[in-house]
Amino acid sequence: MPQTDAGGEAGGSGDRLAPVLRPVRAGNGFEEALEQILQVVRLGLVPAGGRLPAERELAERLGISRVTLREVLKVLQDEGLVESRRGRYGGTFVRPRSDAGGQDELRRRSRAVDIEDVLRFREVLEVGAAGLCAAHGLAPEQAARLRGALAATHDAPLTEYRRLDTLLHLTLAELCGSPSLAARYAAVRAGLNDLLDCIPLLVRNLEHSQRQHIALVEAVLDGDADGAREMTREHCAGTAALLRGFLM
């Protein structure tokens, strides 16, 4: 029996993946690559039993290294969405869909909120808070508090990471000088965490997120308002890409 490949059914023609697979942006390569391949799987662009493009082709189309691609595929395999086969007819194959409980719960919770609104509002609040902190400067005790919140996330166990990550972002919001902004951010972050709790904690994503945290805090402490705002936008985009990917 001929293999079913990504370009279409066996014997078919055309590139059905073109609307989804595209070069990712440099800032969030892992997250955006994961989002795109999740879309390919969730949209059924490669049917159950079908084979994804070869690693070399996928890496080239996404504009990422094969190392990063393999980490993405490992996540999909761990989630039971794809399987790897060796040999002459090997490759990465889409498994029959069987949604995990967490993905079902994510979809259930997402029906009660406008996720795009939550993500945009979160970005507006965090970008604004970071810019204000950098532009106005922090007192020594405030700077020490921000450094402490960042330090607490270093080497945090997975079971504690999301809580400590939340505290870091809440600290930044509180230090911006606007109690109203801090209160609104706390509310939107609670809703966001309700959704994030339904998706797996991915080590590669957390490592990348941590590098962004460090760059963000450095920009704030250096008084680089533009840099702080841009890093915050990039950081929020990574979270948005993961949520959108798992919702497809």
Side-chain angles (χ1 to χ4, degrees):
M1 179 180 294
Q3 295 286 349
T4 299
D5 289 307
E9 301 296 332
S13 62
D15 182 4
R16 294 183 301 176
L17 307 188
V20 175
L21 296 183
R22 59 197 179 280
V24 302
R25 292 170 293 184
N28 294 303
F30 171 81
E31 290 83 357
E32 292 187 14
L34 178 60
E35 176 189 20
Q36 291 185 37
I37 300 179
L38 276 167
Q39 287 177 350
V40 167
V41 173
R42 291 301 189 197
L43 291 171
L45 297 180
V46 177
R51 181 169 52 194
L52 292 175
E55 284 188 4
R56 177 178 296 178
E57 179 187 347
L58 263 182
E60 289 176 352
R61 293 179 69 158
L62 293 167
I64 58 177
S65 71
R66 293 180 72 174
V67 171
T68 296
L69 175 63
R70 285 168 185 157
E71 292 175 339
V72 170
L73 295 177
K74 176 64 164 55
V75 169
L76 298 177
Q77 188 167 332
D78 290 345
E79 288 299 298
L81 299 174
V82 303
E83 63 180 344
S84 178
R85 302 177 193 167
R86 298 183 180 275
R88 181 179 178 185
Y89 298 107
T92 301
F93 292 81
V94 176
R95 299 186 63 185
R97 180 172 297 190
S98 176
D99 287 331
Q103 292 164 352
D104 286 342
E105 180 65 11
L106 175 59
R107 293 190 182 93
R108 186 190 69 78
R109 294 184 187 185
S110 70
R111 286 194 290 270
V113 298
D114 183 338
I115 288 185
E116 290 302 322
D117 180 58
V118 170
L119 293 173
R120 291 191 184 104
F121 192 38
R122 180 246 182 146
E123 180 179 341
V124 168
L125 293 175
E126 288 208 29
V127 168
L132 286 170
C133 286
H136 295 169
L138 299 179
E141 63 274 15
Q142 292 176 318
R145 184 180 169 197
L146 183 59
R147 289 192 186 96
L150 174 63
T153 64
H154 292 325
D155 301 319
L158 288 180
T159 54
E160 283 288 285
Y161 186 84
R162 186 155 289 149
R163 182 181 68 85
L164 296 173
D165 168 75
T166 298
L167 289 176
L168 171 61
H169 287 276
L170 282 173
T171 298
L172 197 62
E174 291 171 7
L175 293 176
C176 80
S178 171
S180 296
L181 185 153
R184 297 302 296 271
Y185 178 72
V188 77
R189 180 70 192 218
L192 181 65
N193 280 2
D194 196 40
L195 299 173
L196 290 174
D197 285 343
C198 297
I199 66 175
L201 286 165
L202 310 178
V203 173
R204 170 61 187 267
N205 167 252
L206 298 186
E207 291 172 346
H208 178 213
S209 179
Q210 195 63 10
R211 290 193 294 271
Q212 291 177 327
H213 285 159
I214 293 170
L216 170 58
V217 169
E218 288 178 349
V220 167
L221 296 178
D222 289 343
D224 180 4
D226 289 340
R229 286 189 288 263
E230 185 56 35
M231 181 51 61
T232 303
R233 287 191 188 94
E234 185 177 296
H235 184 65
C236 290
T239 301
L242 282 180
L243 275 175
R244 292 187 186 111
F246 278 99
L247 271 173
M248 290 300 296

